[in-house]
Amino acid sequence: MAPSITEPCTNSRRQGSRAHGSFNRSAALLLLLAITRTVGSDAGALPFTRSASSIAKSNHESLVSGTCVANLKKSNGECFIPRGGSSAAAASASESAVLSSESLKMIGIVSVFANLRHSISLGFQEWWRTADTAKFLVAGAVAGIVSRTAVSPLEVIATAQMVRGGNKSIFGELSHLFKSEGVNGFFKGNGANCLKVAPTRGMQFFAFEQFKLKLVEYKRASMGLDEGAEINLNPIERLVAGGFAGMIASSMVYPIEVVKTMLTMYPGKYAGIGAAFKGVLTEVGPKGLYAGLGPTLIAMFPYVGVEFMIYETAKIAIEQFLKTENDGVAVAVPIIISLGLGALAGAAAQTSAHPLDVIRKRLQIQGINGNPVLYKNTVACFSGVINKEGFGALYRGLGPACVATIPGTGIAYITYEFMKKYFELSSV
């Protein structure tokens, strides 16, 4: 069969294509070689892969061979890309050597910090897995901050009525506060309050859990039971554990309570928490930071004890009831019920300890901002307030205090229960 007329054309195109492809590959290889020689002789593009001595040696060799980049020259001997002369090459070698040395140092420093950060992160994660103590502290602190911030306006007017008296209604006090100081008035002293309540609540919940564990261990040992034997605490034991937990927590953060009272009563006098601290120390000395500590510790035992006792006793009873109704399967207490139990416990606790709270705040402001020192101790303050203002003065501010305590305590407990679930903690 005769060959097709188009075959020579096709073969010609194939040969041209091959030649063109061979030319492209050859050009690419030459370009790659030129770039490689340029990088090798200039030593500036990859300073981290070569030592200073090799860089200087390479540049010296490039000086000997000529001053053209990649030694590319025209037919007349002129460079396609001039290198810049011996002085430029020498400067390049010196700068590249310094750059390489400094870069290696920086890489070493960054590597050390990266390894240190990784080690700290792993160590913290390992510690946090078994750090139940810290988890209880954090859970209680978060519960305290959330609850106090939520009821800060009511806390402000309750403190004002306890210190200066007054018969305005809660809404009247709130309205007057908003007109005179605006929204900021609702949260004056809240920073100091949160600074106080975070460690206070954290320590209360943690100490309460620890006291309960010690009581359970003591009861097991006294009954001769095994370590894993189930032990139930009665309401009185929970009251005692809560009472001591409250006293310990309050004694640790009491100076912040004094500062919070100062910021609430005299918001324009002190610029902030630090200024209030300095003001108390300047006007009455270090003892001013502990004014009213006696009645506070006395009040904290029934206050925190009653609160924990009522909440936990009622919660356990409801859990048992729900378990019985659900054919022996444990059921979590609904949030709304936990909120109600916390509110009930808070109201009972506030009512039982309110007279001592009034006395504490009266003692705190003595000798500050021109207030006279009327009472030497807790007993003198009790008798003086009753004689001058009547027995009812000991319950002044109870309404706003309960209104603040009821939702505040409820919010604190549901926040605490949420944090316990989040941290996978359990209580006895």
Side-chain angles (χ1 to χ4, degrees):
M1 180 178 179
S4 172
I5 297 175
T6 60
E7 186 175 349
C9 296
T10 304
N11 292 335
S12 176
R13 282 195 298 269
R14 288 174 181 170
Q15 291 173 0
S17 177
R18 291 194 190 99
H20 182 67
S22 299
F23 175 77
N24 287 341
R25 285 193 292 272
S26 299
L29 288 172
L30 287 173
L31 181 60
L32 178 61
L33 177 61
I35 293 171
T36 305
R37 293 188 63 183
T38 301
V39 171
S41 59
D42 286 346
L46 298 173
F48 306 127
T49 60
R50 307 176 63 207
S51 66
S53 61
S54 65
I55 291 169
K57 181 179 178 181
S58 176
N59 279 280
H60 176 71
E61 291 173 352
S62 67
L63 286 173
V64 174
S65 63
T67 59
C68 301
V69 174
N71 203 24
L72 297 175
K73 299 180 181 180
K74 301 178 184 178
S75 58
N76 60 1
E78 294 181 2
C79 295
F80 279 103
I81 307 175
R83 190 182 297 280
S86 59
S87 60
S92 174
S94 176
E95 291 173 1
S96 297
V98 173
L99 177 60
S100 178
S101 176
E102 293 299 323
S103 299
L104 289 173
K105 290 180 182 178
M106 184 60 67
I107 289 176
I109 293 172
V110 171
S111 177
V112 168
F113 275 105
N115 290 334
L116 180 62
R117 178 184 177 186
H118 182 65
S119 299
I120 292 174
S121 177
L122 288 178
F124 177 79
Q125 291 175 11
E126 185 64 29
W127 169 79
W128 185 252
R129 289 191 189 98
T130 57
D132 287 353
T133 297
K135 290 176 183 178
F136 275 118
L137 288 170
V138 172
V142 172
I145 291 173
V146 171
S147 63
R148 285 304 174 94
T149 302
V151 298
S152 178
L154 297 171
E155 179 82 14
V156 170
I157 63 174
T159 299
Q161 285 195 355
M162 281 188 281
V163 172
R164 61 169 168 74
N167 297 316
K168 286 185 179 180
S169 66
I170 295 174
F171 290 106
E173 288 279 9
L174 289 173
S175 177
H176 174 74
L177 183 62
F178 179 74
K179 290 178 181 178
S180 59
E181 301 182 41
V183 176
N184 290 338
F186 292 150
F187 298 94
K188 60 183 180 180
N190 189 55
N193 207 5
C194 288
L195 188 63
K196 180 207 77 167
V197 78
T200 300
R201 268 303 194 181
M203 183 56 66
Q204 280 180 2
F205 280 110
F206 166 70
F208 180 58
E209 299 292 345
Q210 293 301 308
F211 276 121
K212 287 192 298 179
L213 284 175
K214 295 299 181 184
L215 285 172
V216 167
E217 291 174 1
Y218 171 77
K219 292 181 74 172
R220 282 197 189 117
S222 61
M223 296 178 183
L225 300 176
D226 296 333
E227 185 177 348
E230 184 177 351
I231 294 291
N232 294 320
L233 298 177
N234 60 48
I236 299 301
E237 289 168 336
R238 295 181 186 277
L239 185 146
V240 171
F244 281 116
M247 294 177 72
I248 291 171
S250 295
S251 63
M252 293 179 64
V253 298
Y254 189 77
I256 303 176
E257 169 67 22
V258 175
V259 169
K260 189 267 294 187
T261 300
M262 296 301 104
L263 290 173
T264 301
M265 294 308 303
Y266 313 109
K269 183 175 180 180
Y270 305 108
I273 296 172
F277 261 112
K278 292 179 181 178
V280 173
L281 291 172
T282 300
E283 295 187 43
V284 292
K287 66 179 182 180
L289 295 174
Y290 292 92
L293 178 60
T296 297
L297 294 181
I298 297 172
M300 282 300 105
F301 190 90
Y303 184 95
V304 181
V306 167
E307 179 186 302
F308 277 129
M309 178 192 71
I310 292 177
Y311 176 80
E312 288 220 332
T313 303
K315 177 174 174 267
I316 291 171
I318 292 174
E319 286 176 339
Q320 292 294 330
F321 173 77
L322 293 175
K323 186 176 180 180
T324 302
E325 292 293 315
N326 202 39
D327 299 327
V329 179
V331 178
V333 176
I335 291 178
I336 190 65
I337 294 179
S338 293
L339 182 66
L341 293 178
L344 176 64
Q350 183 64 47
T351 303
S352 65
H354 192 77
L356 288 166
D357 207 17
V358 172
I359 299 302
R360 170 171 61 94
K361 293 189 183 298
R362 294 291 182 97
L363 291 173
Q364 283 176 351
I365 65 168
Q366 286 192 138
I368 298 176
N369 202 41
N371 291 312
V373 178
L374 301 175
Y375 313 109
K376 293 182 178 180
N377 51 49
T378 303
V379 176
C381 189
F382 255 115
S383 60
V385 169
I386 292 174
N387 290 334
K388 293 179 181 179
E389 305 175 47
F391 188 79
L394 296 177
Y395 287 91
R396 186 170 292 153
L398 178 61
C402 280
V403 172
T405 299
I406 289 172
T409 308
I411 293 170
Y413 276 107
I414 61 174
T415 305
Y416 181 66
E417 295 292 345
F418 170 80
M419 295 300 294
K420 279 172 61 179
K421 289 181 180 178
Y422 180 77
F423 289 143
E424 299 180 350
L425 300 171
S426 59
S427 302
V428 294

